[in-house]
Amino acid sequence: MKTMELVFLLIFFPVTLSVKHSLKLLVTTSSGVKNFPDYVVVGLVDEVPTGYCDSIINTVEGKQDWSQKMFEDDPQHLEWYTQRCLLHQYEYKDQIDILKQQLNQTEATCNPLWDLTLLSDSLSGVHIFQKMNGCEWDDETGEVNGFVQYGYDGEDFIAFDLKTLTWIAPKQQAVITKHKWDKDRAQNERWNYYLTQQCPELVKRYLDLGKSSLLRTELPSVSLLQKTPSSPVSCHATGLYPHRAMMFWRKDGEELHEDVEHGEILPNHDGSFQMSVDLNLSSVTPEDWRRYECVFHLSGVKDDIVTKLDKAVIRTNCEFPAGPVIGGVVGLLLLAVCITGVFIWRRRDNGFRPANSSDSSSSDPSSVKDAALN
């Protein structure tokens, strides 16, 4: 499980010039969600939406200039991805129907695709079936991490262990599926080849095609914000790129973990990102403020941005910069439109929860046979 923990953490790196690049494919099948495609595929390169397909448009769209040009220059590449999108949506729709039918059963039923047991007490309502696969490649060490994971209604269901070429069943209900898939050695070897060979090569190819945007580095502007004199002080960075960054408060040179709250990294309307970290000063005397500072680190950049806690530079509620805030809202809306509101996994403690996000897809970027469907 330690390997899976590392794969699904947000990419926060130590101070190093080494950068990890990733390619991810997210598939979401839903039931009972109104005004939402019941099948959505999203592809991400370094967490940037690059391609998208759903059951309404039934074709793959490039979501970046370079990915759209790639499809225009290689129609066969686009056609292959589109066919994958079309074929898989019917297979995944069947799976969620099977799951719903089995919700009131206590024993696994036999079907050609899945051996699943009781997952819910309700036959109706909203249900979400998800798959996430892809790889991470370290551009300095060459290290590769691959992952394949399935979830149902926002929780882990089964995942591939690349070290042992076997499946991990975090839920008892998935044990039968694990045993069945473990026996398919040929399919697991195909996953191994795709995750360790094909996927990293695709990462390199896409980075080369989109290097003008994907490999750029932009340092943010950092401000200290506070709503009221008794509110936490927020260290806010906006305009950063890429999103692989970390931000923290420290006291006397030591990182703080208590009285600190980290916000999510959010997109701006211009493609950059913003993030913040709050410090609760209720137990800090004014004389001790000088001992605190906010540190921003961008992956691949040697020097950090350090901002001293100084009451004179704190911007109050009425002085909050409208640009970053509006930019973040607009960015979120554009990102939501990009994927029509797809559900994806976000790591939280030991499980997953559905979250709104936006990503895109270049359909399953390999000729490997889908291990979940065969």
Side-chain angles (χ1 to χ4, degrees):
M1 291 301 295
K2 290 183 179 179
T3 299
M4 298 305 298
E5 292 285 341
L6 290 173
V7 169
F8 291 110
L9 281 174
L10 291 176
I11 313 174
F12 288 157
F13 304 113
V15 180
T16 172
L17 295 181
S18 174
V19 176
K20 291 182 180 179
H21 300 283
S22 64
L23 172 62
K24 295 180 182 179
L25 182 72
L26 310 176
V27 180
T28 300
T29 305
S30 60
S31 175
V33 183
K34 295 182 179 180
N35 303 317
F36 183 80
D38 53 16
Y39 177 81
V40 175
V41 183
V42 169
L44 304 166
V45 177
D46 283 357
E47 307 299 330
V48 175
T50 55
Y52 172 84
C53 177
D54 65 35
S55 53
I56 296 178
I57 63 174
N58 282 325
T59 188
V60 175
E61 297 179 346
K63 290 303 178 182
Q64 303 296 322
D65 291 341
W66 65 266
S67 59
Q68 183 60 35
K69 186 176 186 303
M70 176 183 68
F71 289 139
E72 293 172 355
D73 293 343
D74 190 352
Q76 290 184 340
H77 195 56
L78 173 61
E79 179 61 22
W80 186 81
Y81 280 144
T82 299
Q83 289 303 315
R84 297 281 288 183
C85 177
L86 292 173
L87 292 174
H88 283 186
Q89 68 176 279
Y90 298 110
E91 295 170 344
Y92 281 105
K93 287 177 184 177
D94 288 342
Q95 300 323 303
I96 202 169
D97 288 339
I98 292 171
L99 288 171
K100 289 168 61 179
Q101 292 171 12
Q102 294 177 340
L103 296 179
N104 64 344
Q105 298 175 357
T106 57
E107 295 182 356
T109 61
C110 182
N111 64 74
L113 300 178
W114 290 82
D115 294 307
L116 302 176
T117 55
L118 182 65
L119 293 176
S120 173
D121 295 327
S122 174
L123 288 171
S124 60
V126 174
H127 298 285
I128 307 295
F129 175 56
Q130 297 168 287
K131 171 186 173 184
M132 176 166 62
N133 68 64
C135 63
E136 259 185 358
W137 167 69
D138 190 307
D139 67 359
E140 183 177 80
T141 66
E143 180 185 0
V144 172
N145 287 319
F147 50 90
V148 184
Q149 183 155 353
Y150 294 84
Y152 186 72
D153 284 352
E155 296 184 348
D156 296 345
F157 185 75
I158 194 167
F160 189 57
D161 187 337
L162 188 56
K163 289 185 177 180
T164 63
L165 302 188
T166 58
W167 293 86
I168 300 170
K171 285 183 171 292
Q172 183 63 34
Q173 295 94 329
V175 171
I176 295 177
T177 304
K178 166 188 163 52
H179 291 324
K180 179 178 179 180
W181 289 1
D182 282 349
K183 293 178 181 178
D184 194 347
R185 298 297 300 177
Q187 185 67 300
N188 294 337
E189 288 291 349
R190 284 191 287 269
W191 270 122
N192 179 48
Y193 178 72
Y194 166 63
L195 295 173
T196 62
Q197 302 295 324
Q198 290 180 308
C199 184
E201 289 303 315
L202 285 167
V203 172
K204 297 172 188 177
R205 177 187 177 188
Y206 295 151
L207 287 174
D208 183 60
L209 291 172
K211 58 187 174 184
S212 62
S213 60
L214 293 174
L215 298 181
R216 76 182 192 271
T217 297
E218 296 179 9
L219 292 173
S221 60
V222 179
S223 304
L224 298 181
L225 312 175
Q226 190 176 33
K227 293 181 179 179
T228 68
S230 60
S231 299
V233 173
S234 177
C235 185
H236 181 266
T238 185
L240 64 102
Y241 193 92
H243 81 293
R244 296 184 298 274
M246 59 182 176
M247 198 176 212
F248 56 91
W249 283 96
R250 65 187 181 194
K251 176 184 177 183
D252 297 333
E254 296 292 329
E255 181 178 352
L256 291 173
H257 299 285
E258 296 183 359
D259 297 324
V260 172
E261 183 176 351
H262 293 270
E264 293 188 21
I265 298 180
L266 302 175
N268 288 323
H269 68 284
D270 60 358
S272 65
F273 297 90
Q274 61 174 292
M275 63 189 302
S276 62
V277 58
D278 295 348
L279 174 64
N280 188 335
L281 294 172
S282 59
S283 60
V284 179
T285 62
E287 294 77 16
D288 284 339
W289 277 39
R290 59 184 177 79
R291 302 169 62 186
Y292 293 81
E293 58 190 11
C294 172
V295 181
F296 172 86
H297 172 71
L298 186 64
S299 179
V301 177
K302 182 178 180 180
D303 296 326
D304 297 334
I305 298 177
V306 179
T307 306
K308 294 285 186 179
L309 180 59
D310 185 349
K311 195 174 187 67
V313 300
I314 295 177
R315 306 181 71 172
T316 62
N317 187 39
C318 59
E319 297 176 320
F320 276 3
V325 176
I326 296 174
V329 174
V330 173
L332 286 173
L333 291 174
L334 290 175
L335 209 52
V337 170
C338 171
I339 67 151
T340 328
V342 66
F343 293 96
I344 67 170
W345 287 313
R346 293 297 301 276
R347 192 67 178 168
R348 186 180 64 178
D349 298 325
N350 294 321
F352 287 90
R353 61 181 172 84
N356 289 329
S357 178
S358 30
D359 314 326
S360 54
S361 135
S362 27
S363 242
D364 199 345
S366 80
S367 57
V368 65
K369 196 175 180 183
D370 194 323
L373 303 174
N374 297 276

